[in-house]
Amino acid sequence: MTEQIHLAAHFPGVNNTTVWSDPRSGSQIDFGSFRHLAETAERGRFDFFFLAEGLRLREMKGRIHDLDVMGRPESLTVLAALSAVTTRLGLAATVNSTFNEPYEVARRLATLDHLSGGRAAWNVVTSWDAFTGENFRRGGYLAEADRYTRAKEFLQTARELWDTWADDAVTADPVRGEFLREGGVTPFRHTGRHFDIQGLFNVPRGPQGHPVIIQAGDSDEGREFAASSADVIFSRHGRPEEARTFYRDVKRRLAAYGRRPADLKIMPAVTYVLGDTEAEAAECAAEIRRAQVSPANAIVFLEGVWGRDMSFCDPDGPLPDVEPELGEGVSRGRAQFRGDRAATAAKWRAVAQEKNLTIRELVIEMSARQTFVGTAASVAEQMTSFVRTGAADGFVLVPHLTPGGLDELVDQVVPLLQEKGVYRADYTGTTLRDHLGLRSPVKETS
Amino acid sequence: MTLHLAVALDGAGWHPAAWRADGARPDLLFTAGYWADLVVEAERGLLDWVTFEDSLAVQSTRHDSPDGRRDQVRGRLDAVLLASALAPLTTRIGLVPTTGVTHTEPFHVSIGIASLDHAARGRAGWRPRVSARPHEAAHFGRRTFPPIDPAGPTARRHIERLLREGVDFVEVVRRLWDSWEDDAEIRDTATGRFVDRDKLHPIDFRGEWFSVRGPSITPRSPQGRPLVTSLAHSALPYDFAARTSDVVYVTPRDADDAAAVVTEVRAAETAAGRTGPPLKIFADLEVYLGPPGRRARLDDLDGATHVSDAHVFEGTPEQLADLLLMWRASGVEGFRLRPGVLPHDLPAVTRGLVPELQARGVFRRAYETTGLRGRLGLPRPPSRYVTAS
Ligand SMILES: Cc1cc2nc3c(=O)[nH]c(=O)nc-3n(C[C@H](O)[C@H](O)[C@H](O)COP(=O)(O)O)c2cc1C
């Protein structure tokens, strides 16, 4: 059988992906928007629907960032509502492991797994920053070096909790008066560096045993965490060369944990633009990029990388000759500007010089992630070859319009993938684990 | 004036042996379909709202530890998610989940309830619940709680502190709900601004137990402030309700006691310096409708006489209607009925009690409002951060 492509839909929430100025752009908060996108994804037989999370509003230079879409609901609550209007689609929530406690998160995920009949997934993210921590009663207490040790122990603890109820613990036999069978539920005790907890878990094991675990970090620790513990990686590597390198690197790490390459699906975030002709699609893609990177937004991006006020710059002029500030920077609550600022700025400068770009053109060049551009047939072909050449197991599709941005892909590209035999014609199972071809979790032995 | 009627959903019903009754479907308790049937039935009966119980520990007949029993329902789903899963399947009935406020984060709870209000288009409520239980604290491992000795002074101080912390928790949640003004999203293509940042407000809460910065990540929900309800049996929790809630569920023994409780609650409001609309006082009743002896047979099955914190009513829908009207004359405005056995007593409420109340002209014949606050005649409040300009 040929390699099967996995597809997921990202709800384009808070970022500059969404072209909110487009008249077709709807509400990012109304439940109808979530419902529309989820129903479209299910019509397209997608593996899952993905919600991101950010627990503090982004700021630039100490002020709330006001140029992009802002405001979103709590992920698990929306996904629970979506479980009522879908029947097969996986429902993936991003839930932070730093500002939560295992008992509560484990029970909410087990609940979603029950309500959806086995379709829950958890993207474990770690946001370390004290900035986000200011919204929580426990504050920004965790050093950056600890975020993956906590994430790992958090997930381990959640798994211990899920495993304390046997699959057949609930007998509910009214005649014998036995609701739980003898030995069906065992107490837990977890003693570790981050958690010292004990007692009884209060949700029966969900249909999937454990929800599907997704990981999205990119650092070495992040990759090890994924290799040891995740079922899916939501990667940011959507360019074929980088994607192949990332794919090889992560799959290679699995053996050390006694896992097979098929146990971890790698799904990069990708965007797409369709047109009736290649030229039309390219033109449309250029328009979208310009809408995403308005002149004001170009300066904001630049400030994010340079880590300082650049408001004196002309977005349609050249990059000025100023050095980046290497401190904490001016942008907060946004993941992509972390890392080596000096190196990033040097690279940007080199590209601007080499291609003779204005600031806005440079930002478009450096930040645009348009992966698949073309006619439906050529996009179907590009996606297929991406997977066939070992760059991914599938994709998390990020539309640029809410909520209708997935419609044309599902209507035009999915049928072509199905014709090629590289994508399911219909769901063959009921749980997300079934869709992803993942094994049932083996119980932790305590 | 219409009488207000809510129903409290929990497991198979409020009698510990309810799950063994005919038609109880105990094998489906952890499925969405089971709850959907109940809530659709409650909506068919035009009830004001349903509540969902919750806690961060397994049910127990003891206060301070699990009891190891396997002959009663154990385990439950997260109430906020459960309520949310029922939102798209209903259009009018209010959905009021319980959440703990002792071990959770106000930020998470605030956005969860606001999100429920968005998904339910203005039908969300919330019941904050304080927990003094040491075994629940051990599930989080952040604090050690003293053993519960209801008579001792330690227990009282412990509970008093937890309630004060709970007051702060609800205050944070409410401020976060207000932290986006209604019209903060402007989508102004001319200036390229999606939001007006002057309409987004840090809440900067600083208290004895925690501080929270804000603003919320979730835009103001359809009701602005979802309905806050709490359960109270005595003076300390009356004070908590007076400081935090829109509705209080109380547990009088009879009509005279109801009058006394109403007086106590009103005094607590005055003492707390409450401003804004007075608490809506709802009386909780556990109900067994139909032929006599049903409760006794369940007690036999369970091997013990079931004791409730609320008054237990046994009788016909007509008798229950008499009781409700009598208690209402004592000053309570509504009732939260706890069906003894859900598959039996919920339909007895919706198909027996409701028509009886309608016939007496004291209950609605159709929903007049979609929003939950509106159903109680509560206005949609503007954000506290709106400044007159
Ligand atoms: C594609 C992708 C999506 C992500 N989505 C979120 C998110 O929704 N919320 C969040 O807090 N972090 C998110 N992250 C951040 C990561 O979880 C992680 O915290 C961050 O990349 C830093 O970890 P690292 O140093 O291992 O890369 C995402 C990262 C990637 C690559």
Side-chain angles (χ1 to χ4, degrees):
Chain A
M1 182 145 136
T2 38
E3 209 54 64
Q4 289 289 298
I5 296 176
H6 296 279
L7 293 181
H10 182 283
F11 186 88
V14 173
N15 44 44
N16 78 319
T17 318
T18 307
V19 180
W20 58 260
S21 53
D22 188 305
R24 292 166 297 173
S25 167
S27 170
Q28 86 291 358
I29 184 76
D30 186 88
F31 181 66
S33 292
F34 292 90
R35 181 174 187 155
H36 180 95
L37 195 85
E39 286 175 346
T40 307
E42 187 162 80
R43 179 157 57 81
R45 308 291 184 257
F46 278 37
D47 292 63
F48 61 91
F49 175 91
F50 178 90
L51 282 180
E53 179 191 73
L55 294 169
R56 181 141 180 203
L57 296 181
R58 287 159 44 189
E59 287 185 3
M60 278 304 288
K61 296 183 280 192
R63 303 174 76 198
I64 288 169
H65 178 63
D66 59 0
L67 301 177
D68 300 336
V69 172
M70 290 257 265
R72 56 174 134 209
E74 196 273 324
S75 326
L76 283 166
T77 307
V78 184
L79 294 178
L82 289 175
S83 75
V85 294
T86 53
T87 58
R88 298 295 180 91
L89 185 67
L91 302 166
T94 300
V95 181
N96 192 291
S97 62
T98 301
F99 303 111
N100 280 290
E101 299 296 330
Y103 195 94
E104 196 189 359
V105 170
R107 76 184 297 264
R108 300 191 85 212
L109 283 156
T111 295
L112 181 62
D113 209 39
H114 281 289
L115 291 173
S116 63
R119 300 185 277 135
W122 173 19
N123 177 33
V124 187
V125 296
T126 57
S127 161
W128 71 97
D129 59 348
F131 173 76
T132 304
E134 284 178 14
N135 279 341
F136 294 94
R137 61 156 93 196
R138 296 190 51 223
Y141 63 96
L142 197 66
E144 185 166 344
D146 282 336
R147 60 206 171 100
Y148 278 114
T149 65
R150 179 172 164 114
K152 216 170 159 171
E153 192 179 327
F154 195 114
L155 176 57
Q156 167 70 25
T157 308
R159 285 177 162 153
E160 286 163 15
L161 296 174
W162 291 325
D163 285 350
T164 56
W165 286 63
D167 285 320
D168 59 355
V170 177
T171 46
D173 181 343
V175 180
R176 291 186 16 234
E178 182 193 78
F179 188 78
L180 298 179
R181 77 166 167 77
E182 172 106 57
V185 184
T186 46
F188 67 88
R189 158 124 231 181
H190 177 98
T191 313
R193 184 156 152 233
H194 296 279
F195 310 107
D196 182 2
I197 61 176
Q198 62 177 315
L200 281 178
F201 191 50
N202 72 344
V203 186
R205 206 160 192 263
Q208 292 185 110
H210 300 174
V212 166
I213 301 301
I214 305 176
Q215 195 276 347
D218 197 28
S219 60
D220 199 54
E221 299 101 290
R223 292 179 191 201
E224 283 303 316
F225 176 49
S228 69
S229 314
D231 302 305
V232 174
I233 291 192
F234 180 14
S235 123
R236 65 166 62 115
H237 302 291
R239 295 191 170 98
E241 227 11 83
E242 285 166 39
R244 262 188 293 278
T245 310
F246 178 79
Y247 191 91
R248 272 196 304 274
D249 175 62
V250 172
K251 296 267 175 170
R252 184 181 49 78
R253 294 174 193 247
L254 287 162
Y257 300 98
R259 304 180 73 205
R260 307 171 307 181
D263 293 341
L264 179 61
K265 307 291 181 213
I266 297 180
M267 301 174 67
V270 297
T271 59
Y272 51 89
V273 181
L274 301 179
D276 289 340
T277 63
E278 296 291 331
E280 189 194 304
E283 194 179 313
C284 183
E287 250 171 62
I288 291 166
R289 288 198 296 268
R290 286 180 64 77
Q292 288 167 330
V293 183
S294 65
N297 235 331
I299 298 299
V300 167
F301 264 84
L302 192 68
E303 292 179 327
V305 175
W306 255 253
R308 58 189 290 173
D309 184 2
M310 302 290 271
S311 57
F312 62 89
C313 298
D314 173 6
D316 296 318
L319 204 55
D321 196 16
V322 296
E323 291 305 310
E325 299 243 343
L326 301 181
E328 241 193 75
V330 292
S331 157
R332 323 194 77 184
R334 174 166 207 158
Q336 59 263 46
F337 292 128
R338 297 180 55 248
D340 185 343
R341 206 183 289 284
T344 309
K347 188 167 140 207
W348 279 45
R349 188 175 296 290
V351 171
Q353 257 154 19
E354 184 196 321
K355 303 196 177 171
N356 192 26
L357 302 175
T358 66
I359 288 174
R360 188 176 180 198
E361 288 164 349
L362 174 69
V363 171
I364 289 172
E365 174 79 17
M366 301 310 284
S367 69
R369 289 176 301 149
Q370 276 165 339
T371 324
F372 302 122
V373 178
T375 62
S378 86
V379 166
E381 189 47 48
Q382 293 168 52
M383 290 174 102
T384 306
S385 96
F386 206 103
V387 169
R388 290 244 169 96
T389 57
D393 295 307
F395 308 98
V396 179
L397 297 163
V398 187
H400 68 273
L401 282 178
T402 308
L406 195 61
D407 298 39
E408 58 176 2
L409 186 120
V410 162
D411 292 336
Q412 298 173 32
V413 180
V414 164
L416 299 178
L417 295 174
Q418 288 167 328
E419 268 169 39
K420 285 173 187 284
V422 295
Y423 187 68
R424 66 174 70 90
D426 201 352
Y427 291 110
T428 52
T430 57
T431 69
L432 178 53
R433 275 182 191 280
D434 293 339
H435 307 340
L436 290 166
L438 297 169
R439 294 186 281 193
S440 290
V442 182
K443 285 216 168 185
E444 309 275 334
T445 44
S446 46
Chain B
M1 201 175 72
T2 195
L3 180 142
H4 293 287
L5 211 51
V7 161
L9 303 179
D10 189 27
W14 286 77
H15 195 286
W19 70 274
R20 298 174 68 180
D22 287 343
R25 306 194 299 167
D27 52 326
L28 301 181
L29 285 182
F30 306 106
T31 63
Y34 171 83
W35 296 92
D37 288 349
L38 295 176
V39 177
V40 165
E41 178 64 32
E43 187 168 68
R44 194 179 294 138
L46 307 174
L47 302 185
D48 288 66
W49 68 83
V50 289
T51 62
F52 304 91
E53 299 301 307
D54 204 0
S55 83
L56 293 165
V58 168
Q59 299 92 323
S60 175
T61 45
R62 296 193 203 140
H63 272 301
D64 55 353
S65 62
D67 59 10
R69 288 181 72 157
R70 296 186 290 109
D71 63 338
Q72 297 180 351
V73 169
R74 292 294 179 265
R76 51 164 49 115
L77 300 177
D78 177 89
V80 174
L81 301 190
L82 179 56
S84 191
L86 299 165
L89 306 177
T90 50
T91 58
R92 292 289 187 271
I93 194 156
L95 302 167
V96 182
T98 301
T99 69
V101 297
T102 302
H103 304 290
T104 53
E105 290 282 354
F107 196 88
H108 292 314
V109 172
S110 167
I111 63 178
I113 301 292
S115 303
L116 174 63
D117 205 40
H118 281 290
R121 304 191 190 288
R123 295 181 287 128
W126 175 40
R127 183 194 150 207
R129 177 175 171 277
V130 163
S131 166
R133 296 161 194 246
H135 64 293
E136 208 165 306
H139 294 160
F140 291 81
R142 307 250 152 242
R143 324 189 240 186
T144 316
F145 282 5
I148 296 174
D149 163 19
T154 334
R156 194 189 151 88
R157 270 203 305 279
H158 176 51
I159 289 167
E160 208 170 342
R161 278 183 68 80
L162 291 174
L163 284 168
R164 276 197 287 134
E165 182 188 347
V167 169
D168 279 6
F169 190 112
V170 179
E171 173 66 12
V172 168
V173 168
R174 285 177 169 279
R175 286 196 201 178
L176 287 168
W177 286 341
D178 278 350
S179 67
W180 285 59
E181 290 184 31
D182 288 323
D183 51 358
E185 182 181 315
I186 51 173
R187 294 187 183 237
D188 183 28
T189 40
T191 59
R193 292 180 309 147
F194 183 81
V195 290
D196 178 351
R197 57 160 78 101
D198 294 334
K199 294 181 187 236
L200 300 174
H201 304 274
I203 66 163
D204 269 332
F205 179 88
R206 280 166 222 282
E208 192 178 335
W209 291 273
F210 47 82
S211 53
V212 174
R213 174 100 175 119
S216 182
I217 57 165
T218 306
R220 203 147 191 267
S221 70
Q223 291 185 99
R225 296 181 200 153
L227 192 74
V228 180
T229 73
S230 58
L231 173 65
H233 303 98
S234 59
L236 282 179
Y238 293 156
D239 174 70
F240 175 81
R243 290 174 194 279
T244 61
S245 306
D246 301 302
V247 174
V248 62
Y249 310 116
V250 294
T251 52
R253 289 182 308 276
D254 52 38
D256 288 343
D257 193 32
V261 167
V262 169
T263 308
E264 259 197 274
V265 169
R266 296 293 173 226
E269 288 181 303
T270 311
R274 182 183 174 98
T275 54
L279 276 165
K280 304 277 177 189
I281 304 177
F282 275 48
D284 266 20
L285 289 166
E286 188 168 314
V287 297
Y288 297 82
L289 292 164
R294 288 185 50 233
R295 182 188 171 202
R297 276 199 299 282
L298 290 162
D299 282 352
D300 282 348
L301 270 180
D302 196 48
T305 305
H306 163 57
V307 205
S308 174
D309 56 322
H311 177 73
V312 179
F313 171 88
E314 284 184 273
T316 63
E318 295 75 24
Q319 289 165 330
L320 181 56
D322 291 342
L323 181 147
L324 299 187
L325 292 176
M326 201 160 71
W327 286 32
R328 191 166 75 148
S330 303
V332 300
E333 290 149 283
F335 297 89
R336 184 174 73 147
L337 304 180
R338 307 182 191 174
V341 177
L342 276 167
H344 180 91
D345 295 300
L346 177 63
V349 166
T350 51
R351 296 163 197 228
L353 176 67
V354 165
E356 179 63 28
L357 293 171
Q358 286 169 331
R360 299 188 194 191
V362 294
F363 198 69
R364 67 177 68 87
R365 289 181 181 276
Y367 283 111
E368 304 95 6
T369 57
T370 45
L372 187 49
R373 292 184 70 86
R375 188 156 304 149
L376 286 177
L378 292 171
R380 184 179 189 283
S383 157
R384 76 189 65 192
Y385 300 103
V386 173
T387 46
S389 54

